[in-house]
Amino acid sequence: MRDLSPNGVECQEQPENNSYDTAATSNHDIETFIREIPKIELHVHLDGSFDPKQLWNHLQQNPTLLQCLPEEKKLPWLGDDEGPMKIRSLVASCKTEDEFRNLCVCTRQVNEKSAADKAHPSLERMLECFEVFLPLVNQNYELLEALAYGFVKRQKEQNIVYTEVRYSPHVFAESDPRSAHAAVTRGLRRGCE
């Protein structure tokens, strides 16, 4: 049976039985299909794409980095009756990568340790995540390069063939944004090789 497009042009040959059995299609098949098709990703924020596992491993190898974290921070969206977010103690209390991931990733799961718990994602919850990990990368050019490299590798694994990644070097190093830019560029280029 030949299939004709709406304008009458012949398309590819179709099997006689055109039914698609969605019940027989597993989530694994769909995930595989999505992973394998070429994709583009536009306007990706690099700092929002950092790998929590990579950050956790770096923190475990460099425990003195905990001192880079502020003890606490009053978040502007919290009400007067709510106390500050106790960033350092939240991170220090993490015993596993999953606990740390819950601080760094905004998900639908309730994070009981969060200063502004929400049962669903919100802008405020997402911004809390940045308060946890951005101090760890501040002026840490070796880590920034490794995170940028890891980002490109993950994009390749997902068959993302084109990405427009953006970041603000001054967020990664207020006193030396040129070095932050150079570190990220090295990581991105190395990942593209």
Side-chain angles (χ1 to χ4, degrees):
M1 173 179 180
R2 298 236 179 246
D3 186 21
L4 298 179
S5 69
N7 62 4
V9 176
E10 191 173 318
C11 297
Q12 69 185 44
E13 184 129 353
Q14 298 292 319
E16 286 297 323
N17 182 356
N18 248 356
S19 67
Y20 180 70
D21 186 4
T22 55
T25 303
S26 70
N27 283 340
H28 181 268
D29 292 339
I30 293 169
E31 288 174 18
T32 300
F33 171 75
I34 291 171
R35 184 172 298 276
E36 290 177 354
I37 61 171
K39 298 170 280 298
I40 63 169
E41 193 166 13
L42 306 177
H43 197 99
V44 180
H45 290 252
L46 181 62
D47 47 352
S49 301
F50 288 161
D51 181 13
K53 180 179 183 173
Q54 198 172 359
L55 289 165
W56 171 255
N57 289 339
H58 189 77
L59 187 57
Q60 295 309 296
Q61 294 165 2
N62 303 280
T64 58
L65 277 179
L66 273 176
Q67 301 310 310
C68 297
L69 297 169
E71 292 230 8
E72 58 184 37
K73 183 170 182 179
K74 178 68 174 163
L75 304 174
W77 54 85
L78 296 178
D80 292 336
D81 59 330
E82 297 179 89
M85 182 178 181
K86 299 189 180 307
I87 298 169
R88 191 180 303 169
S89 64
L90 284 171
V91 174
S93 70
C94 293
K95 303 299 181 221
T96 67
E97 177 191 327
D98 286 339
E99 289 176 351
F100 181 73
R101 176 182 295 278
N102 287 339
L103 292 178
C104 295
V105 178
C106 184
T107 64
R108 291 197 179 276
Q109 298 172 344
V110 176
N111 181 351
E112 294 174 14
K113 296 179 182 180
S114 176
D117 262 349
K118 307 257 186 300
H120 53 82
S122 66
L123 175 61
E124 292 86 2
R125 174 66 188 109
M126 187 223 27
L127 292 174
E128 283 180 18
C129 297
F130 284 80
E131 297 295 336
V132 169
F133 63 78
L134 279 180
L136 298 173
V137 301
N138 188 27
Q139 298 188 114
N140 190 334
Y141 306 118
E142 184 179 315
L143 179 57
L144 278 170
E145 182 176 341
L147 289 164
Y149 173 78
F151 167 77
V152 174
K153 290 301 186 190
R154 287 189 309 281
Q155 295 293 84
K156 284 181 181 178
E157 289 169 4
Q158 296 177 47
N159 203 19
I160 309 244
V161 296
Y162 179 80
T163 298
E164 290 181 2
V165 61
R166 51 192 314 111
Y167 63 95
S168 299
H170 68 277
V171 171
F172 299 149
E174 291 176 17
S175 63
D176 191 5
R178 289 181 190 266
S179 292
H181 174 68
V184 169
T185 301
R186 282 191 308 272
L188 294 174
R189 286 186 176 154
R190 193 164 49 94
C192 290
E193 293 173 353

